[in-house]
Amino acid sequence: MRYCKKCLMPDTRPRVVFDENGVCNACHYTENMKNKLIDWQERENELKALLDVHRRKDGYWDCIIPWSGGKDSTANAIKLKTEYGMNPLLVTFNPLMPTEVGEYNRRILIEYGFDTMYVSSNVNVTRYLARRFFVERGNPKVLWDAGANCSLVRMATNYKIPLVFYSEHGETEYGGNKLSDKSDMIRDLSEVLENIIGDDPRNWVDDVVSEKDLNHYIYPNIEDVQQAGTKVVYMSYFFKWDQWVNYEYVKRHINFRDNPCGRTEGTFTKHDSLDDKIDDLYYYMQYVKFGFGRAVRDVSRMIQNGHMSREEGLELCTKYDGEFPQRYFGEVLEYLNLSESEFYDVVDKHRNKELWVKDQGRWKLRNPLV
């Protein structure tokens, strides 16, 4: 493993690219494009022109915001409604294991004055697929990624709502592989299937799951999307994306609650990805498969946006990265219908032996952060 010389992201992150000096493409994007070459006023003017075309005068919804109740989607909602005069419909695709703080943060924004819809798939199919994908891929949230990406576009198409605003384009912001020149602005279906979901959900059909169980996870026909005039875009194209700035923006507008434990397991932050109990396992499995966990992810983003030094980040990662998700462990085992021994067998099945070595009965990274 090599770690970026500017942030702490390793070269094991899928699709990240390092230059000859050991600097990742996310750092290059932040330093060169985001901070120097992009005219953000011109980007905001593009947004205003887009909104002026699609803003409704009859009271009907003129955009959908995929909304978890978290800081980023909440910032998008408040900004589009209060600063740009839009009438958004907030749509939540159901978390696998909802948290109390997540439900509170959704309720407090609803009381601020928004229309919302909650999309819930068949709970039996959801649990089955979460277990199956944890066992097969080491990722219990494959189905959630599909649902949050596909069902909302289907809803916009069916309801003839012209705009869908997702938060950031991860392939640009965090180092990845753009599959088209415009995919940092306009959502590219091929990129969603390849980089986020991993395949076409129709491939999930088996003896238990039929295609009729997968409506929420299958992307609508492109022809139907085009005929409805639906445009799916990223807010990070129009604004200099910064998760900490989004958090501070939301805190100024509503009584947004942080993690009641003071921080989230596996990291130092208390304000990110709070709505689903299974998220802690998701990020732990990232550590198992790729050798970096939630703290490295959070620190790298903070370094790139100038909120901390690499030295400060290294100290936090040394302290928290790879921490086992103990808080909800019993509930997660019950949800996935696994015993502890079955759980650890699955974890070790997905452990990348090129990155890990067993020393006196304990797994250790071959090339830890230094």
Side-chain angles (χ1 to χ4, degrees):
M1 291 176 68
R2 296 181 302 149
Y3 296 89
C4 177
K5 299 296 185 183
K6 290 197 171 183
C7 68
L8 291 170
M9 188 57 63
D11 60 359
T12 54
R13 184 185 189 274
R15 301 181 301 282
V16 76
V17 177
F18 280 32
D19 69 9
E20 65 276 8
N21 297 314
V23 178
C24 75
N25 51 347
C27 284
H28 276 297
Y29 170 73
T30 301
E31 182 175 356
N32 296 324
M33 291 295 294
K34 194 191 290 190
N35 292 343
K36 296 178 182 178
L37 301 180
I38 295 176
D39 184 337
W40 291 107
Q41 184 57 59
E42 180 59 33
R43 289 284 181 92
E44 186 181 5
N45 291 340
E46 286 186 58
L47 174 66
K48 289 177 179 178
L50 179 69
L51 299 180
D52 286 345
V53 169
H54 295 290
R55 190 180 292 105
R56 300 285 294 247
K57 293 182 173 63
D58 59 1
Y60 194 70
W61 304 301
D62 42 33
C63 62
I64 279 179
I65 300 175
W67 179 58
S68 66
K71 63 190 185 326
D72 296 320
S73 56
T74 295
N76 296 341
I78 295 173
K79 187 172 291 187
L80 286 169
K81 182 181 180 72
T82 64
E83 297 183 26
Y84 296 98
M86 300 297 284
N87 184 29
L89 173 65
L90 311 187
V91 181
T92 301
F93 191 77
N94 61 293
L96 302 187
M97 300 177 66
T99 64
E100 290 183 11
V101 68
E103 291 177 345
Y104 170 85
N105 285 334
R106 284 191 293 272
R107 184 174 71 252
I108 204 71
L109 188 66
I110 292 170
E111 292 172 357
Y112 190 87
F114 284 92
D115 289 343
T116 68
M117 287 189 182
Y118 192 92
V119 180
S120 182
S121 53
N122 183 318
V123 294
N124 296 321
V125 173
T126 297
R127 290 185 66 172
Y128 171 80
L129 286 175
R131 184 187 193 280
R132 173 179 153 187
F133 288 135
F134 175 64
V135 172
E136 289 181 0
R137 307 186 192 185
N139 179 2
K141 294 198 70 174
V142 171
L143 67 156
W144 186 88
D145 287 333
N149 280 280
C150 300
S151 69
L152 277 69
V153 178
R154 182 183 295 277
M155 180 178 290
T157 301
N158 291 344
Y159 280 92
K160 293 183 170 50
I161 299 174
L163 295 171
V164 181
F165 282 97
Y166 281 88
S167 290
E168 75 270 49
H169 181 247
E171 300 299 304
T172 299
E173 294 288 330
Y174 309 129
N177 179 30
K178 286 175 59 177
L179 296 186
S180 68
D181 292 339
K182 283 288 189 180
S183 64
D184 58 339
M185 175 188 178
I186 301 171
R187 196 155 242 235
D188 183 279
L189 174 58
S190 298
E191 202 170 273
V192 170
L193 292 176
E194 182 169 333
N195 295 344
I196 299 177
I197 303 171
D199 66 2
D200 189 319
R202 280 167 287 213
N203 294 330
W204 303 351
V205 171
D206 62 12
D207 293 339
V208 174
V209 176
S210 66
E211 192 164 323
K212 70 180 181 181
D213 296 316
L214 300 174
N215 285 313
H216 282 318
Y217 307 109
I218 296 173
Y219 209 85
N221 291 327
I222 294 298
E223 294 78 12
D224 293 338
V225 177
Q226 293 171 340
Q227 186 173 357
T230 301
K231 294 181 176 65
V232 187
V233 298
Y234 291 100
M235 285 290 281
S236 63
Y237 175 82
F238 302 106
F239 298 100
K240 190 174 180 181
W241 193 255
D242 187 322
Q243 295 192 353
W244 182 255
V245 170
N246 290 342
Y247 170 64
E248 292 182 321
Y249 179 88
V250 168
K251 290 287 277 188
R252 289 195 299 270
H253 286 83
I254 63 173
N255 185 27
F256 182 88
R257 285 186 183 171
D258 301 326
N259 192 314
C261 297
R263 68 174 181 86
T264 301
E265 286 178 313
T267 189
F268 62 96
T269 63
K270 61 181 180 179
H271 59 276
D272 182 63
S273 192
L274 302 177
D275 63 303
D276 199 329
K277 295 176 182 178
I278 213 164
D279 279 5
D280 296 348
L281 172 60
Y282 170 85
Y283 288 109
Y284 180 73
M285 291 305 296
Q286 174 185 284
Y287 181 65
V288 168
K289 293 190 289 184
F290 304 116
F292 74 99
R294 199 168 185 171
V296 168
R297 164 192 178 267
D298 293 345
V299 157
S300 294
R301 296 176 182 184
M302 295 287 276
I303 293 171
Q304 288 157 6
N305 285 309
H307 299 300
M308 68 172 58
S309 68
R310 194 178 191 275
E311 291 70 27
E312 290 171 319
L314 180 58
E315 183 177 348
L316 289 167
C317 290
T318 301
K319 190 173 183 180
Y320 297 121
D321 204 53
E323 181 180 19
F324 186 80
Q326 191 64 52
R327 182 183 180 196
Y328 298 122
F329 184 48
E331 293 177 68
V332 168
L333 288 180
E334 181 180 356
Y335 182 83
L336 297 177
N337 191 26
L338 291 168
S339 67
E340 278 198 45
S341 61
E342 289 172 328
F343 172 85
Y344 287 113
D345 285 344
V346 172
V347 170
D348 283 344
K349 179 177 112 175
H350 291 287
R351 193 178 297 275
N352 188 335
K353 304 305 191 297
E354 293 182 341
L355 308 180
W356 296 92
V357 62
K358 213 163 197 179
D359 181 16
Q360 298 181 347
R362 298 186 64 182
W363 288 106
K364 294 184 177 180
L365 281 172
R366 296 178 186 271
N367 300 105
L369 273 166
V370 292

